[in-house]
Amino acid sequence: QVRLVESGGGLVKPGGSLRLSCAASGFTFSDHYMTWIRQAPGKGLEWISYISSTSSFINYAASVKGRFTISRDNAKNSLYLQINSLRAEDTALYYCARALFGVTTAYYFDSWGQGTLVTVSS
Amino acid sequence: DIQMTQSPSSLSASVGDRVTITCRANQSINIYLNWYQQKPGKAPKLLIYAASSVQSGVPSRFSGSGSGTDFSLTISSLQPEDFATYYCQHSYTTLFSFGPGTKVDIK
């Protein structure tokens, strides 16, 4: 079955950096678009980035553009999120999710990891 | 950017009640609207995609409808395991966004 496992979160000072990873298994990773979504404590879901299967298409939410970089290594079945210039408001649980696409359905996120917590505090 | 709103932000209901949550986009998004359920401490779970297609394994009491700017998620007979927060999400563009969520709790 599809499994997504995030790692790399932790406590970091404002202005610091982290690299989050998402290890995928149970499906052909290289066939699928992937996405990162975050959730601040007690708040709703915020989509932050998306990457196509071959890394040809990448998009970011305005709130993270220029500070976050999404990437993937299909040989390692892994998705990454490099997060720089961290701010207190970046404190959140970061989820990776698989994005399925259909011509008549567009994208939907059918499988999610359990998330990795990033805490930004001095 | 496309903005999503949901109403109500929270509701109290009893087991067996019919519950409807609405989601609105600030521009037409065709049918490219998905619904997720999230329970405390858990990752979100896909319920409905493309406005009305029920994800495999999701109970038939969940249904979705709508197109353009107005959408709804209906739970025909609320069960104890349905108490959760529900989010809509558009995929009309690849600048995806979620609604703020609707929390369904026990009356």
Side-chain angles (χ1 to χ4, degrees):
Chain A
Q1 73 280 21
V2 175
R3 189 165 187 238
L4 299 169
V5 180
E6 301 92 338
S7 61
L11 175 63
V12 61
K13 289 181 169 53
S17 298
L18 277 176
R19 189 193 196 204
L20 307 184
S21 299
C22 170
S25 59
F27 66 103
T28 305
F29 180 72
S30 59
D31 284 349
H32 291 279
Y33 291 26
M34 299 293 295
T35 189
W36 287 98
I37 295 146
R38 69 183 179 183
Q39 186 169 36
K43 302 297 184 182
L45 301 171
E46 180 188 12
W47 171 80
I48 54 175
S49 188
Y50 143 94
I51 186 168
S52 65
S53 55
T54 61
S55 306
S56 300
F57 300 103
I58 287 173
N59 226 340
Y60 299 97
S63 58
V64 306
K65 197 168 187 177
R67 298 188 300 123
F68 289 18
T69 302
I70 192 171
S71 62
R72 64 191 295 161
D73 185 336
N74 287 342
K76 295 183 178 180
N77 290 336
S78 293
L79 175 72
Y80 305 103
L81 187 69
Q82 177 69 39
I83 49 179
N84 299 328
S85 304
L86 279 159
R87 308 164 179 166
E89 55 266 34
D90 295 319
T91 294
L93 188 62
Y94 285 72
Y95 294 104
C96 66
R98 185 175 73 168
L100 295 187
F101 176 81
V103 173
T104 59
T105 64
Y107 292 97
Y108 51 99
F109 309 143
D110 77 312
S111 301
W112 298 59
Q114 287 305 302
T116 187
L117 182 63
V118 173
T119 303
V120 184
S121 175
S122 55
Chain B
D1 292 1
I2 297 172
Q3 309 296 326
M4 310 300 296
T5 58
Q6 288 181 233
S7 61
S9 57
S10 65
L11 66 90
S12 295
S14 300
V15 172
D17 284 353
R18 181 181 181 89
V19 169
T20 297
I21 298 166
T22 64
C23 175
R24 178 167 288 175
N26 66 347
Q27 68 174 76
S28 176
I29 56 170
N30 200 327
I31 61 163
Y32 304 135
L33 189 284
N34 308 315
W35 289 98
Y36 301 84
Q37 175 195 64
Q38 187 179 33
K39 297 180 181 180
K42 300 293 187 182
K45 172 188 173 183
L46 176 68
L47 296 177
I48 304 285
Y49 60 96
S52 61
S53 295
V54 182
Q55 172 71 346
S56 175
V58 172
S60 58
R61 62 181 180 273
F62 289 92
S63 64
S65 65
S67 66
T69 60
D70 295 318
F71 301 85
S72 62
L73 172 71
T74 297
I75 309 171
S76 60
S77 178
L78 198 66
Q79 297 302 300
E81 60 267 32
D82 301 337
F83 292 97
T85 300
Y86 294 84
Y87 296 92
C88 63
Q89 172 249 324
H90 88 81
S91 57
Y92 186 73
T93 70
T94 55
L95 287 174
F96 309 106
S97 61
F98 290 87
T102 295
K103 185 176 181 180
V104 177
D105 60 22
I106 302 171
K107 182 183 284 185

